[in-house]
Amino acid sequence: MAFEEVCPDRIDLIHKNYRKLCNLLIDVEEWGQVVIINMLTRYARTQFLNPNINESLLEDSSEKAFYASDDEEDEDKKTEAAALAKRKPYVMDPDHRLLLRNTKPLLQSRNAAVVMAVAQLYFHLAPKAEVGIIAKALVRLMRSHSEVQYVVLQNVATMTIKRRGMFEPYLKSFYIRSTDPTQIKILKLEVLTNLANETNISTILREFQTYIKSMDKDFVAASIQAIGRCATNIGEVRDTCLNGLVQLLSNRDELVVAESVVVIKKLLQMQPEQHSDIIKHMAKLIDNIQVPMARASILWLIGEYCEHVPKIAPDVLRKMAKTFTNEEDIVKLQIINLAAKLYLTNSKQTKLLTQYVLNLAKYDQNYDIRDRARFIRQLIVPTDKSGALSKYAKKLFLALKPAPVLESPFKDRDHFQLGSLSHLLNAKAGGYQELPDWPESAPDPSVRNVEVIRLLERVTTLTSIPDWSKCTSRKDRKEKKVDKPFYSDSEGESGPTESADSESDSGSGSESASASDESGSGSESEESGEETESEDEEEDEEKEKKRKKHLDKTKAKKPAEESAESEQSSGTEDRKRGRKAVKNQKSASESESESESSESEDESEEESEEESESDTDIRKKKTPVSKQPPKQSKKESKKEKQEMSLLDLDDFEPAPTSAPVTPVNFLSSSLVSDLEGLSLTDTILAPTTIAPSGLIKLYELLHRITGEGLAVEYCFSRQPFSPDPNMVAVQIQFTNNTNSETKNLHIKEPRLQSGMRIREFAEIEVLAAGESVTVVMGIDFCDSTQAANFQLCTHTRKFFASIQPPVGELMTPVFLTENDFKKEQGKLMGMNEISEKLTLGEKCVNEHVIVERVTATANLSRVPCGSDKECRFAGKTVSSGCLVLVTVATKEGGRAQLTVNCEKMVIGTMLVKDIMQALSQ
């Protein structure tokens, strides 16, 4: 603390004490730990290199190595070599590693300040791969008081901007509770928005929908803003979010409507041409909304995109001119802007209205409005005195404005040290020490070396035995044993010293316990040092008796009755006697290495096991029950092992059939899907292959030229994958176009996104020349269209392969009645419903063609429907089992309306696009 207050810049004073501080950190009191960790964080930033300096280079090289072909690798070799020459591989300084290793246990501290200090140290100093360990500790702190939660969430919000991945597994920990204070709710919203990605956006938006119903108005406004930010960052759900926000415009709460208008205005700036209907809808709300910011946003939208609503814009200006004098200043400014823009685009209808508004503004009480009116009058109304700017009035007012970027308020806070008051306030506080930048070259590590002066002499004088404690004969030996350090690791070196209790136990026949006591710790050896000579002599006598017993018993055994086990036990007993002799010699020595102590521990454990085995054999011989020869017992034990392996069904993997099974002609595809899964046995069915039908599309996995004669094609068979029903069955066909055999076809090194799994097919040992073979593998795509990357290996080559599923293949059919369909559809309304209008293609003339196109696009089943103009389909996602409901309603003139209801909004949006494309062709 004194160092931090008096001379925090004197880094040179820490050099000699650095390692001492690291090692003593665990024993310092809690608030001292906080000060030392913050001091060592700044020290490490000046003395060590950045551990993530080569991160971007390594990622680029790994991407190229995985995806690039052989030709591209040859071309890029020179550029890669030049880049690698500039940056040498990073090697962490041992002192840097010492700091990280010694602070890691403090993440379990009971003091929240200590945990926060270690978390900021890891965030600022640790390699990217190791930072993730702090996430669990920070999530634990969120169960503490609200004040602690506030500070922790401020830091987590900053971390999630750069290191989003480490908090994604703990997404549910940031869900908002009704008892949370408003500030905690808003910070949790910030974290959830930062963690949103294509995989979890549907879950997060569903949470936001619930938050909008809260009674806390500030929290509701923040939730609507969070929906807008998610829509900006993830383009796939932008339309869904926009439709949801438009539905909020009919909410009874004025604040919800006003905030929705402000967010919609920002979203519409990205694609204004496609959303003229929304602008018209918002223009109708101008009479009901009274919140000034919302009214101003609607007027700005109408003025900016007045060309899309040419009939409505002048009428809105007429209404606003009537209430101009009663409006708020922010609304008045937007009325003037709207008048100017309409004057430039539609002067016939709005000339008089514009002059009326400008005259009212000329005499307004606010000088900003008066100045704006004078400026705009000179700019848009040409007069003799008007300057050169009036020629460019249209370019000034109607220029394309860039869409606003909705960023997190925590984006630039990481330049402050996490956990500091400056980071909390987002402003430099008094006494704050800036976090130094990493050095470009490593400073001299020898400055932290400490000279060792006559260390051995000090150790010998401290550990030497005083003259008064020396004694003769047996006591002298005992004193030498006691001379060991108190915390001695050499547990097996304590020799044959036992307590009186262990002797009585050994006398009763439990020799394993006595053997384990013989290999006791150093503390037991000290207790034995305090025993009398008579007890020591009794111990020696007992041990002699034991040895004689063992020798007599081994000699008494007949050669015909000796089994493999008895031979091993007698052999190990001989070794044991040799070890005991060596051990007795070692016990006389004063100092031994740690490696010898570990060996003696292992030996003592083996001795205890061997003695217990021999003891059980002796007891069996004493019992008068008739026995079988040892060989038969061995056979029985083998049989038992085999039975256990048969019962271990977890390791049982059925081998997929290699030959394709051709389906019978009279079975339709729908009937096959009805009958699938039926089995007459209790065993797990192997995944069968099917011959691709007309609906199933073949994809090329490996071209025969790229594969050097090996061609690989795959298709999604739409059959259940029997080993794991949550996986999509992928049927792969290998064709050998060469003149020689291809051996050992298998999959290696799968590279999968988080949550995805793969079940490989059994290795194909030999594929003869000119032949083909079909196998089935299972992939859990985790309800996403991200590709599963892996290596396809033969006995000579490796080929990089990638399987990316269409969204329609991530589903499996579900059979629903019409009432069940309507019931489930009613549960998936709002943001979970996506509806689009389309024009049917020329070939989509009847219901049969529509059904064929939809089922070819997605693996769905037909739902019975009473109406001739509607086609309904149902399915569920393979991985999570979320329902997918599709409705195609045909109208006159070849038009139709497509509606998809799905809990996962990303899947729903992509499915709408695919089905629209199929029906429009």
Side-chain angles (χ1 to χ4, degrees), residues 587-615:
S587 63
S589 61
E590 288 185 8
S591 61
E592 293 177 357
S593 64
E594 290 181 4
S595 62
E596 290 173 347
S597 67
S598 62
E599 287 175 7
S600 64
E601 284 177 19
D602 296 336
E603 289 171 2
S604 64
E605 288 173 8
E606 288 174 8
E607 287 169 16
S608 64
E609 290 173 3
E610 289 157 7
E611 286 178 5
S612 62
E613 286 176 9
S614 61
D615 189 69

Side-chain angles (χ1 to χ4, degrees), residues 295 319-329 331-332 335 356-357 359-366 369:
R295 290 174 71 84
K319 290 181 179 180
M320 289 294 101
K322 287 181 181 180
T323 60
F324 183 85
T325 52
N326 300 324
E327 299 287 352
E328 293 288 334
D329 292 344
V331 182
K332 288 178 180 178
I335 294 171
Y356 177 70
V357 169
N359 287 333
L360 289 174
K362 184 178 179 181
Y363 301 103
D364 195 85
Q365 293 180 356
N366 191 307
I369 295 169

